[in-house]
Amino acid sequence: MNHQTIITELADGIFTITINRPDKLNALNKFVMEEIDLAITKLYHDPEIHACILTGAGPKAFVAGADISEFLQTDPQGGSLLAKKGQELFARIENAPKPIVAAVNGFALGGGCELAMACHFRIASENARFGQPEVNLGIIPGYGGTQRLTQLVGKGKAMELMMTAQIIDAAEAKSLGLVNHVTSAESLLEHTRQILSVIISKSPLAIGKVIAAVNAYFTPSNGGYEKEAELFGDCFGTSDMKEGVSAFLEKRKPDFRKN
Ligand code: COA
């Protein structure tokens, strides 16, 4: 497949999807989301693919978030739709019948942290950094972060991380259970491949059923994702969001008016 914003590679049954916009820290614009979607469709259907690694190109970032430069043209309805589409793609990752592991090689912020959390588990390099800094922009996580961060680290810590916008390092992410292992940057992909090679030596049908059964524990029947998409959309009608996003794009501190 010929892609513009991702690189895909299949070796020994392991499909690697590398998000490839290093000059924008691999931020998720609509093209990246479409291309990840195509790659995930391939993963679902290609019998040669037994497992998948999701990672980011370059030494600095896994994914530094949704592409903030697309936000100013977005109204509340568009914001809610953006969240719903992102949630759908990330749910397809979470519910894939084959293991998908995030190899987090730098910043995993906002939508990047949400993408990593949609994967079945996460391995981080020592320079990985995690956070949901949306409140700096006058918005909230919209690609499932309010739900999955709460599942992974518990309500109190999730609330603190999302309200303070604090960025945490790989060691803290491990202590919170957000990542399973921390490796050097050089050995990140190899370490991830080693774990996946163990997994793919097992029964693929049984692995698919492990994923489905564990996910059933978290089946979102409580309307949390719908609420998140609605509230994410609401943010796009506020002057706080316009100020937060403009401040980021103009490389200055925001001055929130709180309405
Ligand atoms: N969306 C769009 N562009 C982004 C981006 C994002 N989420 N994150 C980084 N970029 C761009 C920057 O605008 C910059 O582009 P430029 O060179 O054209 O100015 C480029 O990527 C490099 O980022 P820069 O901010 O210069 O790198 P840094 O090392 O100084 O800072 C971060 C790194 C991750 C701390 C900083 O980029 C950042 O805060 N990014 C946004 C994180 C965020 O809020 N994510 C949630 C979005 S919902």
Side-chain angles (χ1 to χ4, degrees), residues 21-25 27 60 64-69 71 107 109-111 133-134 136-137 139 248-249 251:
R21 295 181 77 206
D23 55 325
K24 295 289 180 189
L25 305 187
K60 249 182 108 170
D67 192 319
I68 299 167
S69 67
F71 285 173
F107 289 113
L109 303 180
E134 285 86 353
N136 288 335
L137 302 166
I139 62 171
F248 175 80
L249 296 173
K251 301 185 189 289

Side-chain angles (χ1 to χ4, degrees), residues 105-149:
N105 56 312
F107 289 113
L109 303 180
C113 190
E114 292 173 296
L115 177 61
M117 292 192 294
C119 294
H120 297 126
F121 57 90
R122 290 140 291 284
I123 316 290
S125 63
E126 284 153 355
N127 68 327
R129 297 287 179 273
F130 296 81
Q132 296 291 159
E134 285 86 353
V135 293
N136 288 335
L137 302 166
I139 62 171
I140 65 166
Y143 293 167
T146 60
Q147 309 299 297
R148 293 194 183 93
L149 188 62

Side-chain angles (χ1 to χ4, degrees), residues 178-209:
L178 191 52
V179 308
N180 293 14
H181 306 276
V182 179
T183 73
S184 68
E186 302 74 51
S187 50
L188 175 66
L189 287 178
E190 190 43 39
H191 191 89
T192 310
R193 275 192 212 102
Q194 272 169 20
I195 295 174
L196 282 175
S197 66
V198 172
I199 294 173
I200 65 180
S201 72
K202 315 297 179 195
S203 154
L205 287 177
I207 297 295
K209 292 187 194 317

